[in-house]
Each structure stands twice: as C-alpha cells, then as structure tokens.
C-alpha cells in the first residue's frame, strides 16, 4: 500500500509525500520549499529518494536543490520544461513511466497552465498528482496555454475512474466553489459540497485531495460542454 502525506507550505500550497512501505521509497511531489518537507519525512523515519515535478513554477520546484543536497534524491520533471528546471536528473513526456517500488505512474501531458505541464497517474492505486491543472472545483490559470488545451485536459481527466484520488497543489476549494455557485446555483451536489467545504475551512481543515467523481459532479470547468464555455468560465473566474 502507498501512503500519501499532505504538507502545507507557503500561503496555500500543498507538497505531497508518497511513501511505499514495501520498498521504503519516498517521493516528494512538487516541493515548493525544502525544510518542512525534509522535516515531515524525517518525523516518519522516511528518506526522500525521488522528487516528481509537474511544472516549472517556483512554488513547485523551489525545494528541489536543497532536498537533493540533503538526500541525494533523483529529480524527475517534464522534458518540455527542462530548460526552466535546472535540477532535473530525468525528463519525461507523454506515456513515460516513473516508479516507486513496484508501483508505476504514467506521465500525462496536460499543457495549459504551463506549456509543458504534466501529471502523474498511478492507475493501479487510483492516485493522480495534477499540480496546477485540476483543482477541487476549479482548474489552473492559462498562463502559457489555450482554452482548447485545458478543455482537452478536463475531458481526459474526467474519463478516469470516479474513485481516482486527485492530489492538487493548492487550497483553492472554497473560492472555486463560491464562484461555481454563481454559474450553477441549482446544482444540488455543488451546494451540498460547499456546505461541507465551508464547515471544514471554518475548522481550519484541508479540503483536498478530491476525486474524479466529485469533480465530475461539481467542477464547472470539467462540466463545460465546449471550449467556448470553458473559456468564458475561466475568464470570468480570473476577473472575479
């Protein structure tokens, strides 16, 4: 069995530790900073053996060098962004596989937030690390890509099994959900979810991971019917 640990850092980032008890391997996914990640691993008696990056932004790769210096870990990231991530040991693209113990993750290219953004899908374990492509009730800003690319990403991810756990990199759920209610105020699943999210945040609790099934029911970007609709919703959310 794989264990996933959430590490809150900076203002609203999450770094994820993925641990395989059988092999003793530990992966840090998108480490924005080093010290809290190293401390969280050490507190559990784990040593980080790998880093998986989804894209080049500093709040996803900022801890790479220091973690590598402390542990000697191998760093994997998107081939299309290798020039922007100077710490990579291995570059990967669509269909490539990375492993933790006996567990394989397939690389999915999901450009739009950045031009070379990737995700890591561990199908056998129903685990998906999406970086800043898919959020709970939201999607990433289109910094380097197009609405058509993000629409394709949403369709592709929506086709995964409903029980796939989605590990995104930011705590944006409450603001995403509030905007979603302005678009789909009659969506009963969305209203119910927002009541739970508001209660969780009032208690200071996180709202991720999410799941593909939950996003299919409540994420207005995943539920957009065409590129134009997604583009309109993304533009309106950016302006909100």
């Amino acid at each position: 069995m794989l264990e996933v640990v959430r590490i809150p850092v900076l203002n609203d980032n999450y770094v994820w530790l993925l641990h395989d008890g059988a092999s003793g391997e530990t992966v840090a996914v998108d480490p924005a900073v080093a010290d809290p990640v190293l401390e969280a691993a050490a507190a559990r008696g784990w040593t980080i053996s790998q880093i998986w990056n989804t894209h080049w932004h500093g709040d996803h790769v900022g801890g790479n060098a220091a973690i590598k210096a402390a542990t000697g870990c191998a760093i994997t990231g998107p081939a299309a962004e290798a020039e922007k991530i100077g710490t990579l040991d291995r570059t990967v693209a669509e269909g490539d596989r990375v492993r933790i113990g006996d567990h394989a993750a397939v690389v999915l290219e999901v450009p739009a937030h950045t031009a070379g953004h990737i995700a890591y899908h561990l199908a056998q374990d129903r685990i998906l690390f999406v970086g800043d492509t898919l959020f709970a009730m939201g999607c990433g800003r289109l910094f380097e890509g197009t609405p058509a690319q993000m629409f394709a990403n949403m369709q592709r991810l929506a086709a995964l099994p409903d029980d796939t756990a989605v590990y995104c990199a930011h705590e944006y759920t409450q603001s995403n959900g509030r905007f979603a209610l302005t678009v789909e105020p009659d969506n009963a699943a969305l209203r119910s979810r927002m009541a739970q999210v508001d209660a969780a945040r009032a208690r200071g609790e996180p709202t991720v991971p999410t799941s593909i099934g939950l996003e299919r029911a409540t994420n207005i970007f995943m539920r957009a019917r065409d590129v134009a609709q997604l583009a309109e919703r993304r533009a309106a959310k950016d302006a909100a």
Side-chain angles (χ1 to χ4, degrees):
M1 292 291 293
L2 293 176
E3 184 176 352
V4 184
V5 172
R6 179 195 308 102
I7 307 170
V9 299
L10 304 178
N11 293 325
D12 52 33
N13 276 73
Y14 290 130
V15 178
W16 302 100
L17 286 182
L18 177 65
H19 180 73
D20 174 37
S23 67
E25 286 195 73
T26 303
V27 176
V29 182
D30 283 344
V33 293
D35 287 349
V37 181
L38 290 167
E39 290 166 5
R44 294 166 173 80
W46 300 346
T47 298
I48 295 170
S49 52
Q50 298 183 63
I51 290 172
W52 295 350
N53 292 144
T54 61
H55 65 291
W56 67 268
H57 285 166
D59 63 335
H60 292 255
V61 304
N64 280 10
I67 293 174
K68 185 176 179 65
T71 66
C73 67
I75 305 177
T76 299
E81 298 184 355
E83 292 184 359
K84 295 182 176 181
I85 311 175
T87 50
L88 295 183
D89 297 299
R90 181 189 175 192
T91 61
V92 290
E94 177 72 30
D96 287 340
R97 294 175 183 269
V98 294
R99 305 192 70 87
I100 173 172
D102 291 332
H103 302 262
V106 175
V107 173
L108 310 178
E109 291 184 348
V110 284
H113 180 68
T114 65
H117 201 302
I118 61 174
Y120 298 91
H121 180 216
L122 293 95
Q124 70 191 75
D125 301 287
R126 296 291 203 269
I127 289 172
L128 178 68
F129 294 103
V130 292
D132 286 356
T133 291
L134 174 64
F135 292 121
M137 292 190 280
C139 71
R141 288 178 179 267
L142 306 180
F143 286 120
E144 298 177 0
T146 67
Q149 288 176 316
M150 188 60 83
F151 181 71
N153 294 339
M154 294 298 102
Q155 289 187 307
R156 183 179 194 184
L157 298 179
L160 297 177
D162 280 355
D163 62 350
T164 302
V166 178
Y167 295 88
C168 56
H170 290 275
E171 181 59 65
Y172 291 161
T173 310
Q174 192 171 43
S175 62
N176 287 343
R178 287 171 178 166
F179 175 74
L181 282 171
T182 70
V183 178
E184 289 192 325
D186 298 325
N187 183 330
L190 176 57
R191 293 200 307 273
S192 174
R193 185 179 185 185
M194 273 306 296
Q196 297 172 26
V197 167
D198 287 339
R201 295 308 290 159
R203 297 189 297 266
E205 297 173 357
T207 63
V208 294
T210 180
S211 71
I212 291 296
L214 195 52
E215 295 313 304
R216 283 171 54 85
T218 61
N219 189 317
I220 61 170
F221 299 102
M222 189 169 276
R223 293 164 59 78
R225 290 185 293 273
D226 56 39
V227 176
Q229 188 178 65
L230 183 143
E232 290 171 0
R233 290 178 177 181
R234 183 65 265 179
K237 178 64 169 62
D238 288 347

